[in-house]
Amino acid sequence: MGFALKNQVFLLCVMVLLLAVLCYSEDTFTRSRATYYGSPDCYGTPSGACGFREFGRTVNDGSVAGVSRLFRNGTGCGACYQVRCTTPQYCADEGVNIVVTDYGEGDKTDFILSPRAYAKLARPNVVSQLFSYGVVDIEYRRISCKYSGYNLMFKVDENSNYPSYLAIVLMYVAGKNDITAVELWQEDFQQWMAMRRAYGAVWDLANPPSGPIKLRFQVSGSSGIKWVKSKNDLPGDWKAGAAYDSYIQLT
């Protein structure tokens, strides 16, 4: 009886500790630094390392950022973060929610924000003072991406060359999810074939199968790692620059 009771107490303590760790990791901010880059219209850049092009310039109303270690060899592309600076007289309480669209290194910074995003760090009427700092102390945490009215999309990259070379870029990855692998179905061999992460959020394959192409994505997130199949095939006459809806709603 005594041994069983000790085991139950031990298990209860472990569960409490695990719950505490989960809550801590979900809500805790990490301290770092942030700066901003020049942009004539204060939006993002269409030439970022994630390969998003125009999506990377305008997504999230231009509140985007380049990151260094959070880039994770491209896996971090499309991740969302809450960033807030920590100088009380200048900084807004909630800060800004950003989408990662680029890679960039600054002066011991984790974020290089678009001017539009950097301005949202500041309290009203002190934006210019915050910009004069150039680099500010911040704290950040990862948050869920939310795209009202959008499913996961795959766009045929402009560098694709029908029918010999196919590259796709994945957009509107909702939730706190990373796309860690992409595969397409080879009907002739009745098996899935891995696409290569070319860079950022761009996946490619030379000599893709002809005809409609089935795709599936390996998703890593808070619910673990799983494969999800697109509910919409890439058409057999796919065209560079065209975007297609997967009809998958990630959460």
Side-chain angles (χ1 to χ4, degrees), residues 152-155 168-171 173 178-184 192 195 201 203 213-220 225-234 244-248 250:
L152 174 67
M153 303 281 292
F154 47 92
K155 178 183 177 182
I168 62 172
V169 57
L170 303 181
M171 305 180 299
V173 180
D178 298 325
I179 303 296
T180 51
V182 179
E183 294 182 344
L184 51 77
W192 291 97
M195 299 187 76
W203 300 79
I213 298 175
K214 299 182 185 298
L215 293 166
R216 71 175 184 175
F217 314 100
Q218 187 180 67
V219 180
S220 176
I225 300 175
K226 61 183 179 181
W227 285 96
V228 291
K229 292 182 183 178
S230 174
K231 298 177 183 179
N232 184 30
D233 293 347
L234 185 68
Y244 302 93
D245 194 335
S246 73
Y247 296 110
I248 296 170
L250 298 177

Side-chain angles (χ1 to χ4, degrees), residues 108-149:
K108 299 179 181 179
T109 61
D110 275 312
F111 295 88
I112 302 181
L113 301 167
S114 67
R116 182 172 289 253
Y118 194 86
K120 292 179 181 178
L121 293 176
R123 293 183 180 276
N125 305 319
V126 292
V127 174
S128 60
Q129 289 93 319
L130 192 66
F131 269 95
S132 68
Y133 270 67
V135 179
V136 292
D137 292 325
I138 57 117
E139 54 186 16
Y140 71 90
R141 63 178 177 181
R142 187 164 181 184
I143 59 174
S144 291
C145 296
K146 297 179 180 178
Y147 299 108
S148 178

